[in-house]
Amino acid sequence: MTSSDPKSLIRIARENGENADATPVNLGERVRELRKARSWTLEQAAQKAGLARSTLSKIENGQMSPTYDALKKLAVGLAISVPQLFTPPVKGQVNGRMAVTRSGEGTNQATSTYEHDLLAETLTKKKMLPYRARVRARSFEEFDGWVRHDGEEFLYVLTGEVTLFTEFYEPVTMRRGDSAYYDASMGHNVVSVSAEDATILWVTSLV
């Protein structure tokens, strides 16, 4: 990529070798969306990417055009490819796939509020993102505002007791075996109200 303007159209090489113009997206909004989807604060995301917090803030707010080196750092920190910073997930139907994730094999992504174990990571172009989370947060105030992102989300309580906060509904207390399905663009946060950290299963749609 040689363009100095990351907001311009980029060409994406498909796995079959063909090229296609991608629909442009707002880089700042896309980065913020990806960060919020991981429940990361600006500080946490900046540390993951090896960038200054002020630099990441300027990128999210459209106040600067990052260099390609900065884009590569962002992609590595977010565990995605550089093209995915500019385009939504590629849609495609693939048949006959399966991934088994043994207990303890999920990739761990820890934050101050959650500890995620990402599941089925060997599959690309998934339509769902499944992950198990240990809920560390004990109060709404521990979050950097609402978490919100595209798609829909399913939450299932595995152990303990949690409170699900949502932007348009009263808080809901949920125990083992309880579940909730909601629009993920609606602000939402989950806190543990157990003596021990609660664990939940989250499944987020990617289309």
Side-chain angles (χ1 to χ4, degrees):
M1 179 178 177
T2 58
S3 171
S4 60
D5 182 5
K7 293 182 181 180
S8 65
L9 283 175
I10 61 174
R11 299 188 64 84
I12 308 299
R14 292 180 175 173
E15 289 183 353
N16 61 7
E18 297 177 356
N19 291 333
D21 287 325
T23 303
V25 299
N26 183 294
L27 176 62
E29 292 179 358
R30 176 68 170 151
V31 171
R32 183 182 295 111
E33 170 190 283
L34 291 166
R35 174 174 66 80
K36 289 287 189 179
R38 290 158 174 76
S39 304
W40 291 348
T41 64
L42 271 171
E43 184 67 32
Q44 290 168 335
Q47 289 178 354
K48 295 278 187 182
L51 297 172
R53 183 185 184 282
S54 58
T55 297
L56 181 57
S57 177
K58 289 178 180 178
I59 292 173
E60 288 195 1
N61 291 294
Q63 297 174 348
M64 70 174 291
S65 296
T67 63
Y68 186 55
D69 284 341
L71 290 176
K72 287 194 294 184
K73 288 181 178 180
L74 272 175
V76 170
L78 293 166
I80 60 175
S81 65
V82 171
Q84 286 177 293
L85 289 171
F86 298 90
T87 56
V90 178
K91 295 182 180 180
Q93 182 65 41
V94 180
N95 296 318
R97 303 190 304 161
M98 184 176 80
V100 175
T101 305
R102 300 293 184 185
S103 178
E105 290 183 352
T107 299
N108 184 266
Q109 297 283 350
T111 72
S112 61
T113 50
Y114 301 120
E115 183 173 328
H116 299 310
D117 282 323
L118 306 182
L119 309 174
E121 283 198 286
T122 57
L123 294 182
T124 60
K125 298 182 180 178
K126 294 189 290 289
K127 294 186 178 181
M128 299 181 294
L129 176 64
Y131 51 103
R132 181 174 51 247
R134 193 177 94 195
V135 185
R136 294 174 165 176
R138 290 299 194 277
S139 70
F140 182 89
E141 288 70 29
E142 294 181 48
F143 293 88
D144 182 24
W146 290 112
V147 172
R148 52 164 62 87
H149 48 87
D150 290 340
E152 298 178 325
E153 200 156 70
F154 176 75
L155 180 160
Y156 184 91
V157 182
L158 298 172
T159 66
E161 187 173 347
V162 302
T163 296
L164 170 62
F165 292 91
T166 55
E167 195 170 8
F168 306 127
Y169 296 87
E170 290 296 317
V172 179
T173 298
M174 303 171 62
R175 298 175 178 82
R176 179 180 178 180
D178 293 345
S179 63
Y181 189 108
Y182 48 89
D183 179 356
S185 64
M186 171 180 64
H188 56 278
N189 291 319
V190 177
V191 305
S192 176
V193 293
S194 305
E196 302 292 334
D197 293 344
T199 58
I200 60 178
L201 173 68
W202 252 320
V203 181
T204 304
S205 68
L206 296 177
V207 294

